[in-house]
Amino acid sequence: MPASAWRGWRSLRILAFAFALLLALVSYWPNWRWLQWLSLLVLYSPSWLYFGLFLPWLLGWRSLTRWQYLMLLPMLLVAVKILDVGWPASRSAEDANLVLLSANLGNMADTEQLARLMSQHRVSVAIFQEARLEKLVAFNTNDWQTHCDAGLCIVSKFPFDVEQTLSRSLFQGYGNFAVFYRLNLPERNLLLANVHFETPRPALESLIKLSPDNIAMQVRQQDRELQATIIADWVHSQAEAVVIGGDFNMPVLSPIYQQYFSSLGNALSERTAQIVRYTKYTRWHGIRIDHQLYRGDLVPLEARVLQLSSGDHRPVLVKWRI
C-alpha cells in the first residue's frame, strides 16, 4: 500500500476514534447553542449510524497496525453505551409484591392487547400518559381503582390517594406533566409519580427541514429542564420510598437526565431481562425514553419492555419488592 494511502487511513481512524470519545461524553458537553443542536442529533438520531465510524477499519484493513486494532476496544465500549443495550440480569429469588406498568397510550389503537398483557403479567398498578378514560374501556373497571386527569391516568388494584397534580399551563401547554399518588400497599405506603415531559420533537423537525429554530429549541430545552428540576426536587424532599414512571422523552445519556436523575436508580438499567430495551420506535430506529426510576428502600427484581402490535411506545414493566 502506498505511504500516502496508509497515512490517509491512519488519519481517518484517529478522527473516528476522537469523535467516538466525544460521543461518549455527550452528557457533559458545554451548553453552547451549536453543541445543543449536535447533542439533540446524537441522542435522537438512529444509534446504528455509530457503526459508520468503523468504516476506516473495515475498508482499509490492510493498513491496520497493532495499536489501531487496540483502538477498536474502546470504540466497541462506546458502541454499547450509544446503542443502549444491556445484559440480562440474573433472575431474583425474591417474590415481587408490586408489579408496575407504565405506558404512553398516545398512538395505541389496541388497548385490549395491553389489557391481556397486564393480566398475563399480573400487573397490580399501571400508569399511563396521553391517556383518557375512553382508552381504558378494555380494562374491567370493577377490578381496578381508576383516576384520570388531563392526560395522565392510573389503574390500581391497591387503594391510592392523589397527592398533587402539575399542569402544563406553566409552560403554555395543555394537560398535566406530573401527577403524584400515594399507594396504600399492605406492607406500607409508596409514593408514585406519573410523568410526561415535553418532547424535543419541534426542534428536531426544524433541524430535519434544514431550518433550525433556535427559539423553539431553547424554549423546549428550558421547559424540559424546569420540569426535571421540579420532579427531582420533589423526589429528594421525600423521606419515603419513591418511584417515578412514565414518558421522560429523554434517554439516559441526555444531559438533563444526567444532571437531575442520574442519582436515582433506573430499573431497566439495573435489572433488565432483555438485551434490547427500546421503548419508543420510529420507522428508522428505537430509543429508550420511558423509564421507571426509584429512590429509597425498595428493590427492582426484574424489568422488561413489553411488545405490542400498535403504538409507537412500548410499555415498561417492573416487578418490585417493597
Side-chain angles (χ1 to χ4, degrees):
M1 177 178 287
S4 59
W6 186 89
R7 286 193 295 270
W9 285 118
R10 182 186 63 181
S11 298
L12 285 175
R13 289 175 194 128
I14 291 173
L15 284 174
F17 183 75
F19 190 62
L21 296 183
L22 182 65
L23 293 181
L25 299 173
V26 65
S27 306
Y28 310 103
W29 289 357
N31 202 26
W32 303 335
R33 183 176 300 177
W34 69 272
L35 274 180
Q36 285 184 306
W37 281 114
L38 184 57
S39 171
L40 286 174
L41 270 180
V42 168
L43 293 171
Y44 294 94
S45 294
S47 55
W48 48 261
L49 290 174
Y50 175 82
F51 288 116
L53 295 179
F54 288 91
L55 288 177
W57 280 263
L58 295 174
L59 299 179
W61 62 272
R62 290 186 178 181
S63 65
L64 286 172
T65 60
R66 180 177 298 177
W67 70 269
Q68 289 172 356
Y69 273 114
L70 293 176
M71 290 167 70
L72 289 172
L73 179 58
M75 293 276 289
L76 290 171
L77 294 176
V78 175
V80 171
K81 189 172 185 178
I82 297 295
L83 293 170
D84 194 21
V85 293
W87 190 255
S90 57
R91 186 178 294 273
S92 174
E94 295 186 82
D95 293 327
N97 52 6
L98 173 67
V99 181
L100 176 64
L101 179 139
S102 56
N104 184 313
L105 304 185
N107 292 319
M108 190 177 298
D110 183 11
T111 54
E112 291 186 1
Q113 184 186 12
L114 177 60
R116 290 193 296 270
L117 282 173
M118 288 174 57
S119 177
Q120 174 187 335
H121 290 280
R122 299 179 180 178
V123 171
S124 45
V125 179
I127 50 177
F128 302 119
Q129 304 83 49
E130 291 192 55
R132 54 185 185 275
L133 281 173
E134 304 88 82
K135 285 203 169 188
L136 306 184
V137 293
F139 306 104
N140 186 348
T141 54
N142 294 327
D143 298 334
W144 301 90
Q145 182 177 337
T146 304
H147 177 269
C148 282
D149 189 354
L152 298 179
C153 296
I154 181 173
V155 295
S156 174
K157 301 281 189 181
F158 302 113
F160 64 86
D161 300 303
V162 178
E163 298 263 296
Q164 187 181 3
T165 61
L166 297 178
S167 173
R168 274 198 171 84
S169 60
L170 295 168
F171 313 97
Q172 291 76 50
Y174 168 77
N176 294 324
F177 75 88
V179 179
F180 304 111
Y181 314 98
R182 181 180 295 274
L183 294 178
N184 302 309
L185 307 178
E187 296 78 12
R188 58 187 168 101
N189 290 345
L190 174 70
L191 295 176
L192 173 64
N194 183 2
V195 301
H196 187 194
F197 291 166
E198 294 294 334
T199 174
R201 188 182 301 114
L204 289 168
E205 288 176 346
S206 73
L207 192 60
I208 292 170
K209 295 174 182 176
L210 302 180
S211 56
D213 188 335
N214 286 311
I215 295 177
M217 184 270 288
Q218 292 198 318
V219 168
R220 282 298 172 121
Q221 290 296 87
Q222 289 168 2
D223 289 349
R224 283 151 51 83
E225 187 163 357
L226 180 55
Q227 290 172 350
T229 302
I230 293 170
I231 299 302
D233 287 348
W234 174 80
V235 171
H236 292 290
S237 70
Q238 305 301 321
E240 303 171 76
V242 174
V243 173
I244 315 166
D247 182 358
F248 286 68
N249 268 315
M250 63 184 78
V252 294
L253 290 181
S254 162
I256 297 175
Y257 181 100
Q258 287 296 315
Q259 181 174 354
Y260 295 101
F261 301 121
S262 60
S263 63
L264 307 179
N266 186 314
L268 264 179
S269 296
E270 299 169 13
R271 299 296 301 175
T272 182
Q274 301 150 309
I275 295 175
V276 178
R277 48 198 173 173
Y278 301 144
T279 64
K280 160 83 174 178
Y281 283 89
T282 70
R283 289 177 296 175
W284 300 101
H285 71 121
I287 185 172
R288 178 163 63 115
I289 59 174
D290 303 82
H291 310 281
Q292 286 191 30
L293 312 183
Y294 69 98
R295 180 175 180 267
D297 186 20
L298 69 166
V299 180
L301 304 179
E302 179 184 296
R304 64 173 59 246
V305 179
L306 303 183
Q307 298 305 311
L308 291 174
S309 59
S310 68
D312 54 348
H313 283 262
R314 302 293 183 266
V316 177
L317 179 86
V318 180
K319 297 180 179 179
W320 296 92
R321 182 68 186 175
I322 307 297

